[in-house]
Amino acid sequence: MPFLVDTNVLLRSVDTNHSMNVDAVNATHSLLNQDEEICIVPQNLIEFWNVYTRPVERNGLGHTTAEAEMEVNRLKGLFLFLPDAPTIYLEWERLVINYGVKGVNVHDAKLVAAMLVHGLTRILTFNISDFTRYMEIRAVHPTEVINRSAFPDH
């Protein structure tokens, strides 16, 4: 069953100075080596571009737009890119109303909406708590994937 990869995992996987870099890289490689399908959606790439090009002094990675374009193209080549569909907005609206989602959490709800429209039920994320409210999906931490692949019989 395929995974959506959360933007925080994508960002950690390209930031070699981040303490979570190794876990992000190892988890995605582990899933790919197990022939698991890893998916991304436009929301991932929009959020990625934002942080990837934002200045370092504003909590970004400080890359140029040309570098961002190359990295986004690499991600689209590495993972299955699922396009937006008109029904994603309707699903997002249902989720934010049903779960009482407010503020910055509306962006995670958009990822969940895309997952549900595309038939995905698992998201690889460092921020498990951001997704626990959604009963339709399961959030999986990268270390869970790494530990599972180290002990495949468990």
Side-chain angles (χ1 to χ4, degrees):
M1 188 170 295
F3 280 83
L4 181 74
V5 63
D6 195 5
T7 310
N8 61 56
V9 175
L10 297 174
L11 287 162
R12 302 305 175 252
S13 72
V14 299
D15 185 359
T16 56
N17 295 320
H18 198 283
S19 63
M20 296 176 182
N21 172 264
V22 172
D23 287 342
V25 170
N26 287 343
T28 54
H29 285 169
S30 178
L31 290 173
L32 291 172
N33 288 337
Q34 296 171 38
D35 292 325
E36 294 278 5
E37 196 164 53
I38 303 177
C39 306
I40 54 175
V41 294
Q43 181 75 20
N44 290 126
L45 300 180
I46 292 165
E47 293 172 357
F48 181 90
W49 192 288
N50 174 22
V51 176
Y52 197 75
T53 59
R54 189 183 317 143
V56 173
E57 59 273 10
R58 292 190 51 220
N59 202 27
L61 298 180
H63 291 278
T64 68
T65 55
E67 291 168 326
E69 179 185 13
M70 286 176 34
E71 193 57 37
V72 162
N73 285 331
R74 186 187 72 80
L75 293 171
K76 289 191 299 188
L78 187 59
F79 306 123
L80 178 62
F81 179 73
L82 302 173
D84 275 339
T87 52
I88 292 174
Y89 174 80
L90 297 173
E91 185 62 24
W92 172 84
E93 190 173 79
R94 182 190 74 78
L95 289 169
V96 296
I97 291 168
N98 287 352
Y99 287 102
V101 180
K102 300 186 284 186
V104 71
N105 294 321
V106 301
H107 300 291
D108 293 329
K110 176 106 186 287
L111 290 175
V112 174
M115 289 175 66
L116 296 175
V117 166
H118 288 291
L120 307 177
T121 59
R122 298 181 298 179
I123 183 165
L124 183 67
T125 181
F126 284 109
N127 298 333
I128 298 293
S129 63
D130 291 349
F131 297 95
T132 54
R133 74 176 80 204
Y134 303 105
M135 305 312 296
E136 303 90 337
I137 66 157
R138 180 170 176 259
V140 178
H141 195 279
T143 56
E144 183 181 342
V145 170
I146 295 164
N147 293 337
R148 183 184 73 191
S149 66
F151 303 101
D153 296 328
H154 297 277

